[in-house]
Amino acid sequence: MTSNDTPRDPHPYVGMWVTADGFIRQELLPNGRYDEARGNRPSAYTGSYTVTGNHLDYVDDTGFTATGDIRDGVLYHEHLVLYREAD
């Protein structure tokens, strides 16, 4: 690593987001990928995401697209409501 290759801090939305019942767990990874578990199905959905302001655009690995928005610290992803998992 050269002095010009300093790593960037991850986006503040990176981390685990979970529905209130814990059934859906969506991890936003620092490399622009996501991994979503549903119940006992790990990696039920995987793909990439981009962030523009408080808006997220998702493309899963099959090509399906979805969107999300962060409002007041809550992720509204299509019909889902996800909360930041406490560290």
Side-chain angles (χ1 to χ4, degrees):
M1 178 182 274
T2 68
S3 61
N4 292 332
D5 291 335
T6 56
R8 294 184 298 160
D9 288 335
H11 193 280
Y13 299 155
V14 165
M16 186 65 74
W17 296 83
V18 185
T19 54
D21 63 4
F23 185 77
I24 297 173
R25 301 174 56 80
Q26 185 180 93
E27 185 174 14
L28 299 178
L29 301 166
N31 63 355
R33 300 274 304 160
Y34 71 90
D35 190 317
E36 184 175 302
R38 293 196 172 219
N40 60 1
R41 288 180 42 210
S43 301
Y45 298 97
T46 58
S48 61
Y49 72 94
T50 57
V51 179
T52 306
N54 292 332
H55 180 81
L56 290 89
D57 288 297
Y58 296 85
V59 179
D60 82 7
D61 290 337
T62 67
F64 180 80
T65 61
T67 62
D69 292 289
I70 306 266
R71 295 190 304 272
D72 297 323
V74 177
L75 171 54
Y76 296 89
H77 173 61
E78 298 298 330
H79 66 282
L80 302 173
V81 178
L82 298 109
Y83 303 91
R84 173 74 84 157
E85 185 173 70
D87 292 331

